[in-house]
């Protein structure tokens, strides 16, 4: 990697089709830092936005990116082309509340009964 390839142009596509970016990031930028950037630039008018980076999942080339990896490690072969903007998809996944966990647990319990007369 030399010169311009140390930087990646990335835009973030939200589930409604709108975008954040594009913005240039160094290859050494962690995925957690990208998530913090998405969190900071999240449109204020959108409902159900992420509260923490744990609520954000970034997907690139069909893979969910791990927080401890860097942009350079996660690059796809398409990123090697100069002047290309990489699109990462953003999925917001809020952690389940206790009420939701209990409801899911009840739904998975066996409901069969036998009655012998």
């Amino acid at each position: 990697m030399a010169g311009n390839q140390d930087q990646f142009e990335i835009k973030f596509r939200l589930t409604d089709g709108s975008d954040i970016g594009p913005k240039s990031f160094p290859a050494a930028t962690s995925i957690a830092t990208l998530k913090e950037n998405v969190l900071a630039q999240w449109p204020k008018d959108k409902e159900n936005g992420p509260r923490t980076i744990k609520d954000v999942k970034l997907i690139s080339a069909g893979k969910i990116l791990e927080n401890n990896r860097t942009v350079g490690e996660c690059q796809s072969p398409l990123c090697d082309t100069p002047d290309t903007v990489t699109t990462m998809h953003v999925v917001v996944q809020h952690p389940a509340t206790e009420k939701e966990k209990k409801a899911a647990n009840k739904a998975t319990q066996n409901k069969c009964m036998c009655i012998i007369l």
Side-chain angles (χ1 to χ4, degrees), residues 31-104:
I31 299 303
T33 303
L34 292 182
K35 289 180 178 184
E36 289 171 359
N37 188 280
V38 167
L39 202 61
Q41 293 186 17
W42 191 267
K44 302 299 180 216
D45 59 337
K46 301 243 185 263
E47 293 181 13
N48 297 325
R51 292 179 287 247
T52 67
I53 66 168
K54 290 182 178 182
D55 296 344
V56 178
K57 305 282 186 239
L58 292 180
I59 302 171
S60 180
K63 295 180 182 176
I64 297 175
L65 306 180
E66 300 171 18
N67 287 347
N68 59 348
R69 310 267 322 243
T70 65
V71 174
E73 292 172 339
C74 297
Q75 71 178 355
S76 75
L78 298 175
C79 291
D80 291 338
T81 333
D83 302 322
T84 302
V85 176
T86 301
T87 301
M88 291 188 179
H89 295 269
V90 179
V91 177
V92 177
Q93 203 172 34
H94 297 289
T97 62
E98 287 300 317
K99 193 175 187 179
E100 291 169 339
K101 287 178 185 176
K102 286 180 183 177

Side-chain angles (χ1 to χ4, degrees), residues 3-49:
N4 214 14
Q5 290 298 31
D6 289 343
Q7 295 282 326
F8 292 96
E9 286 287 319
I10 301 173
K11 70 177 175 182
F12 303 97
R13 173 88 22 106
L14 307 180
T15 54
D16 66 354
S18 62
D19 292 333
I20 296 175
K23 187 174 176 182
S24 185
F25 294 95
T29 303
S30 72
I31 299 303
T33 303
L34 292 182
K35 289 180 178 184
E36 289 171 359
N37 188 280
V38 167
L39 202 61
Q41 293 186 17
W42 191 267
K44 302 299 180 216
D45 59 337
K46 301 243 185 263
E47 293 181 13
N48 297 325

